[in-house]
């Protein structure tokens, strides 16, 4: 499989209760369709070959024999397809009738798994027809005289012969609703994907509970969970069924079908199995649980599926990925669901507002605790009129409110120098006024020029010394004012700048508490936007207006002289687009993916899209260029992160050397860059 990405399908087929021949035909058609759309795993509902609602007909040998023949037909008529299918049927084994899930691949039935827990309460009477698997269960069963015996039992795993990360197990409906689901045991013994064949009837409120159950199971077991539910063609004598299909991975819902949708619709999602493997490695308690629940009796059956084929998006250069063509198996769409280009920022407006509230509260609480602990009555913020310092000031105001402190104790310091524009300077003053803070202006031009003379720097040479001298002078001013006023210096730098090292060592890199330390640049913008909306809602139109103008200002350190009064030094023209770097940062730190996979995902997310605040279009060459830049800077700038100030973690990614990220400052980026260079050579 490409990058351990498995496209899975959950399907609620049309059926006629007790008509196995018709039902098998529907299943075969849908397996073929799922395969043609790129699926390499198709999961069908519980007892889908007969229908779940056959009731006492399950005691009829005619139905049982027809179900067995239908299973063999499904295997035979899909043998040319490189897809693993899981279907449900009743099976009589050694005089005992079981509710089972059968795995079918390339013309063979590979394994059969019985339902572990048989419900017999409320509207369920399954114990009337089916038995739970008990001790003495046969290890194998024969489905026909012509077919070899196949593994049978609860201790069976199915593994892709070409990718060890693709290891499947099955449980059936009620199994998921029990205190200790078989899926947990399966996962602790290596399964990364759980298929649940279900026939869950619909009652008011059950859909929400079912959704919560599936996502929770995928979170607890750190796995992908595919839930395929019986559709509305089941008998409605006593119940109705909605075909509520769900797919989740590591606690996140990937895809969901509408209730009572037409039968035969295919729900697709691409399962990133490497996410599961990386999360299990990161969560060391998962391995601890395995010590208690490892089971040597598990058997592994290997299967053979075709390579996944994904649409590559709007590729605009020769750099790509070549896949062997698959007959009738190349979907036009890219990954499903589409790769989010902004993984730190929720897509929905309501969810984004909720995330913003939560993040701001955590930032403010982190600072408030520090202020209370040291009995501080003041804080000093270097205010540039840019996004980061704006957010830092707003969070400081929120922290002061929490501590019951007068906002006049917050001193916003503007320090104009060679690159300062009237726009940013004016916005800094207006912002401080709008927040009710104190403000002081310290022009550092003469101090920096004097320093240039002292060290022999030509003021006309706009090099790194020219730039960093300004940043260090500003930090000295802030630290000394904080000493004079009895306050602490609030750091303004964000997570993206720390990752790229886009800060001056012992300059803006240093503070007494960094409130933005775990906030990526792409999220900073939305947090400031949230404050603007909040100010407007509270009738503070002046504050809302200045915040919106700050949002519209190009990101810049303003260390080089302006051009015709406008900002000349634009950060993203130097280090690259922050939305790209934040994307890279997320997949490097949160998931530990290889550069080639991150490039693949970035192409899915960005190729052919316009860059934020620009008419430029992302090409594959541009994405690769900035990915290489990211790795070079990330490795080279670790020394700045090794001594970064305190600052609370508020998201899943942090670069704190005391918390999430410990890296030698002299580590080499060679392996990572070599992989990208080889990729570029292949074209």
């Amino acid at each position: 499989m490409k990058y351990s990405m498995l496209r899975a399908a959950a399907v609620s087929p049309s059926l006629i209760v007790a008509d196995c021949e018709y039902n098998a035909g529907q299943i075969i058609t849908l397996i073929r369709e799922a395969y043609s759309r790129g699926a390499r795993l198709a999961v069908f509902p519980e007892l889908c070959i007969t229908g779940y609602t056959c009731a006492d007909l399950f005691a009829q040998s005619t139905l049982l024999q027809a179900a067995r023949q239908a299973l063999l037909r499904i295997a035979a008529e899909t043998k040319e397809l490189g897809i693993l299918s899981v279907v449900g049927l009743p099976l009589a084994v050694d005089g005992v009738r079981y509710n089972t899930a059968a795995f079918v691949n390339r013309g063979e039935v590979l394994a059969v798994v019985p339902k572990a827990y048989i419900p017999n309460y409320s509207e369920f009477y399954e114990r009337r027809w089916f038995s739970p698997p008990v001790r003495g269960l046969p290890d194998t069963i024969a489905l026909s005289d012509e077919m070899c015996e196949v593994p049978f039992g609860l201790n069976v795993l199915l593994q892709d012969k070409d990718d060890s990360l693709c290891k499947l197990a099955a449980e059936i409906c009620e199994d998921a609703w029990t205190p200790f689901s078989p899926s947990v045991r399966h996962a602790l013994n290596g399964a990364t994907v759980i298929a649940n064949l279900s026939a869950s009837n619909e009652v008011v409120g059950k859909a929400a509970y079912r959704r919560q159950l599936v996502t929770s199971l995928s979170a607890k077991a750190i796995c992908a969970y595919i839930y395929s539910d019986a559709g509305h063609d089941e008998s409605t004598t006593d119940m109705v069924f909605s075909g509520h299909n769900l797919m989740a991975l590591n606690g996140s819902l990937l895809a969901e079908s509408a209730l009572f949708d037409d039968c035969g619709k295919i729900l697709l999602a691409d399962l990133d199995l490497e996410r599961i493997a990386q999360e299990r490695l990161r969560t060391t308690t998962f391995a601890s649980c395995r010590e208690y629940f490892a089971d040597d009796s598990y058997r592994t059956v290997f299967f053979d599926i075709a390579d996944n084929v994904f649409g590559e998006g709007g590729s605009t250069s020769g750099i790509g990925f070549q896949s062997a063509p698959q007959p009738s198996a190349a979907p036009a769409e890219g990954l499903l669901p589409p790769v989010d280009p902004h993984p730190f920022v929720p897509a929905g407006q309501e969810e984004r507002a909720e995330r913003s509230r939560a993040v701001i509260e955590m930032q403010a609480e982190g600072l408030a605790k520090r202020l209370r602990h040291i009995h501080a009555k003041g804080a000093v913020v270097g205010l540039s009129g840019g996004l980061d310092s704006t957010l830092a000031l707003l969070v400081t105001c929120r922290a002061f409110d929490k501590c019951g402190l007068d906002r006049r104790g917050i001193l916003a310091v503007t320090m104009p120098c060679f690159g300062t524009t009237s726009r940013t300077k004016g916005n800094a003053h207006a912002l401080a006024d709008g927040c009710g803070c104190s403000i002081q202006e310290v022009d550092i031009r003469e101090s920096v020029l004097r320093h240039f003379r002292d060290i022999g720097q030509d003021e006309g040479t706009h090099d790194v010394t020219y730039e960093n001298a300004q940043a260090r002078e500003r930090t000295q001013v802030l630290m000394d004012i904080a000493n004079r006023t009895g306050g602490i210096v609030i750091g303004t730098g964000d997570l993206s700048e720390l990752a790229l090292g886009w800060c001056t060592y012992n300059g803006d890199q240093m503070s007494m508490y960094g409130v933005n330390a775990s906030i990526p640049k792409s999220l900073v913008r939305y947090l400031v936007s949230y404050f603007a909306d909040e100010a407007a809602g509270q009738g503070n139109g002046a504050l809302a207006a200045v915040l919106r103008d700050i949002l519209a200002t190009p990101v810049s350190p303003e260390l080089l002289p302006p051009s015709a009064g406008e900002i000349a030094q634009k950060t993203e023209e130097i280090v690259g687009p922050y939305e790209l770097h934040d994307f890279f940062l997320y997949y490097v730190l949160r998931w530990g993916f290889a550069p080639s996979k991150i490039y693949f995902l970035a192409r899915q997310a960005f190729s052919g899209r316009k860059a934020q605040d620009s008419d430029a279009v992302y090409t594959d060459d541009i994405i690769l260029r900035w990915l290489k830049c990211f790795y070079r800077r990330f490795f080279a700038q670790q020394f700045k992160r090794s001594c970064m100030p305190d600052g609370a973690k508020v998201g899943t990614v942090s670069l704190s050397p005391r918390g999430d990220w410990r890296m030698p400052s002299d580590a080499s980026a060679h392996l990572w860059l070599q992989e990208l260079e080889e990729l570029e050579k292949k074209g």
Side-chain angles (χ1 to χ4, degrees):
M1 292 185 300
K2 185 185 230 176
Y3 302 118
S4 292
M5 304 287 290
L6 174 67
R7 176 161 294 182
V11 194
S12 300
S14 296
L15 63 79
I16 297 174
V17 177
D19 190 337
C20 299
E21 185 176 353
Y22 174 85
N23 298 341
Q26 294 296 307
I27 292 168
I28 291 165
T29 297
L30 290 167
I31 290 173
R32 288 174 176 159
E33 182 182 344
Y35 179 75
S36 73
R37 295 181 61 187
R40 299 298 176 259
L41 170 66
V43 182
F44 291 83
E46 179 180 14
L47 297 169
C48 57
I49 288 178
T50 59
Y52 176 77
T53 49
C54 288
D56 283 354
L57 293 178
F58 285 125
Q60 296 290 311
S61 60
T62 301
L63 185 68
L64 295 179
Q65 183 61 27
R68 190 175 292 228
Q69 290 302 316
L71 173 62
L72 299 179
R73 177 190 167 196
I74 292 168
E77 295 190 23
T78 60
K79 66 181 179 181
E80 77 282 4
L81 305 179
I83 185 171
L84 179 68
S85 303
V86 197
V87 297
L89 75 159
L91 275 180
V93 179
D94 293 344
V96 181
R97 192 164 47 243
Y98 298 102
N99 180 344
T100 71
F103 287 88
V104 178
N105 176 239
R106 294 196 185 272
E108 296 183 69
V109 178
L110 299 182
V112 177
V113 177
K115 187 172 184 175
Y117 299 102
I118 311 299
N120 219 53
Y121 59 88
S122 298
E123 62 267 44
F124 301 108
Y125 296 93
E126 284 188 37
R127 287 298 292 266
R128 180 179 176 92
W129 311 298
F130 300 109
S131 296
V134 294
R135 291 182 180 179
L137 197 72
D139 287 336
T140 61
I141 59 172
L143 294 171
S144 71
D145 293 337
E146 296 79 19
M147 184 176 288
C148 296
E149 292 203 344
V150 300
F152 179 69
L154 299 174
N155 57 349
V156 181
L157 300 178
L158 285 292
Q159 181 177 317
D160 179 6
K161 67 178 183 64
D162 294 323
D163 192 336
S164 62
L165 294 185
C166 184
K167 190 173 287 190
L168 287 86
E171 64 182 8
I172 301 175
C173 200
E174 183 72 14
D175 292 347
W177 304 67
T178 59
F180 187 70
S181 302
S183 57
V184 175
R185 182 167 160 261
H186 296 329
L188 291 172
N189 283 278
T192 55
V193 180
I194 306 297
N196 186 309
L197 293 74
S198 181
S200 177
N201 68 306
E202 209 58 53
V203 294
V204 174
K206 194 172 183 180
Y209 184 84
R210 188 186 297 117
R211 185 184 306 111
Q212 183 182 44
L213 180 68
V214 167
T215 52
S216 297
L217 280 169
S218 75
K220 284 175 62 67
I222 311 181
C223 68
Y225 201 97
I226 305 166
Y227 187 94
S228 185
D229 192 21
H232 59 64
D233 281 350
E234 290 284 356
S235 171
T236 58
T237 300
D238 293 298
M239 298 179 284
V240 292
F241 297 83
S242 67
H244 188 199
N245 298 330
L246 301 150
M247 289 197 224
L249 188 144
N250 292 3
S252 296
L253 187 65
L254 298 181
E256 178 180 14
S257 66
L259 271 63
F260 300 105
D261 207 347
D262 292 340
C263 290
K265 284 192 175 179
I266 297 175
L267 183 70
L268 292 171
D270 292 308
L271 311 178
D272 191 337
L273 304 182
E274 191 179 354
R275 284 199 182 206
I276 297 166
Q278 291 287 1
E279 189 72 352
R280 288 180 178 182
L281 288 171
R282 190 179 74 90
T283 310
T284 55
T285 46
F286 183 87
S288 300
C289 287
R290 292 189 68 173
E291 295 177 12
Y292 294 99
F293 296 101
D295 188 341
D296 293 338
S297 71
Y298 265 87
R299 296 163 286 168
T300 300
V301 179
F302 291 89
F303 61 90
D304 178 19
I305 57 174
D307 288 339
N308 285 299
V309 180
F310 303 112
E312 288 294 343
S315 178
T316 52
S317 83
I319 302 171
F321 300 90
Q322 302 302 316
S323 299
Q326 297 290 329
S328 303
E333 67 262 43
L335 291 175
L336 300 172
V339 179
D340 188 349
H342 306 116
F344 290 108
V345 183
Q349 187 173 353
E350 186 175 333
E351 187 182 356
R352 192 161 59 234
E354 183 179 345
R355 174 78 57 86
S356 297
R357 281 192 295 271
V359 168
I360 290 164
E361 282 298 300
M362 286 186 280
Q363 287 180 278
E365 282 294 345
L367 177 57
K369 163 63 179 176
R370 182 57 53 91
L371 293 171
R372 288 191 292 262
H373 177 71
I374 62 177
H375 306 291
K377 301 299 181 185
V380 178
V381 182
L383 199 59
S384 68
L387 279 172
D388 289 341
S389 63
T390 295
L391 179 59
L393 179 64
L394 294 167
V395 168
T396 303
C397 290
R398 188 67 57 93
F400 265 56
D401 294 345
K402 286 177 175 291
C403 294
L405 298 173
D406 187 348
R407 288 190 180 186
R408 301 301 297 177
I410 303 171
L411 179 57
V413 183
T414 64
M415 293 165 282
C417 197
F418 311 127
T420 304
T421 61
S422 58
R423 179 182 187 180
T424 54
K425 179 180 173 181
N427 280 339
H429 281 268
L431 176 61
D433 288 341
C435 290
C437 305
S438 303
I439 189 163
Q440 179 179 352
E441 182 174 316
V442 179
D443 193 314
I444 64 169
R445 289 181 182 87
E446 287 304 317
S447 298
V448 174
L449 288 172
R450 186 178 303 111
H451 180 60
F452 284 168
R453 291 193 294 271
D454 290 342
I455 66 172
Q457 170 72 15
D458 180 359
E459 65 180 89
T461 302
H462 297 168
D463 58 6
V464 66
T465 304
Y466 179 92
E467 295 185 25
N468 284 347
Q470 298 172 66
R472 292 193 176 104
E473 177 63 22
R474 285 178 170 133
T475 300
Q476 176 178 264
V477 169
L478 293 173
M479 291 289 183
D480 291 344
I481 289 178
N483 289 158
R484 180 178 61 79
T485 60
I488 63 171
V489 176
I490 308 301
T492 62
D494 62 50
L495 179 68
S496 308
E497 292 178 341
L498 285 166
L500 297 170
W502 189 247
C503 54
T504 299
Y505 190 75
N506 201 33
D508 55 318
Q509 169 244 6
M510 191 49 60
S511 67
M512 296 167 182
Y513 196 84
V515 293
N516 295 339
S518 64
I519 313 296
K521 185 76 77 177
S522 54
L523 183 56
V524 169
R525 180 175 298 276
Y526 286 99
L527 297 178
V528 173
S529 178
Y530 174 85
F531 274 112
D533 292 342
E534 183 182 66
Q538 294 171 351
N540 192 341
L543 178 58
V546 70
L547 290 177
R548 289 186 175 127
D549 192 61
I550 290 169
L551 284 164
T553 303
V555 177
S556 172
E558 290 194 319
L559 297 173
L560 297 179
S563 174
E566 299 294 328
I567 293 172
Q569 186 185 25
K570 296 180 180 179
T571 297
E572 292 182 287
E573 292 179 358
I574 302 168
V575 298
Y578 273 118
E579 63 176 341
L580 277 183
H581 286 309
D582 283 357
F583 184 91
F584 303 151
L585 176 66
Y586 176 77
Y587 284 102
V588 169
L589 264 67
R590 180 64 181 88
W591 299 109
F593 287 168
S596 55
K597 181 167 181 176
I598 295 174
Y599 176 58
F600 165 73
L601 293 172
R603 292 180 69 235
Q604 291 281 326
F606 290 102
S607 280
R609 291 171 59 102
K610 280 190 176 181
Q612 284 185 334
D613 304 322
S614 170
D615 289 330
V617 174
Y618 288 120
T619 65
D620 295 346
D621 291 322
I622 288 174
I623 293 169
L624 185 60
R625 170 193 171 193
W626 292 120
L627 181 55
K628 290 163 75 173
C629 172
F630 175 87
Y631 278 110
R632 289 193 192 97
R633 295 192 66 96
F634 184 78
F635 274 80
Q637 302 295 313
Q638 173 62 27
F639 73 97
K640 295 178 183 177
R641 301 188 290 267
S642 293
C643 55
M644 61 183 278
D646 292 354
K649 174 183 177 179
V650 301
T652 58
V653 174
S654 169
L655 285 167
S656 168
R658 300 165 298 275
D660 287 51
W661 189 251
R662 295 167 180 82
M663 172 183 169
S665 297
D666 46 12
S668 170
H670 172 71
L671 288 176
W672 289 262
L673 292 173
Q674 183 182 46
E675 183 173 324
L676 291 176
E677 286 162 4
E678 289 174 355
L679 189 67
E680 189 172 20
K681 288 177 185 176
K682 290 178 183 177

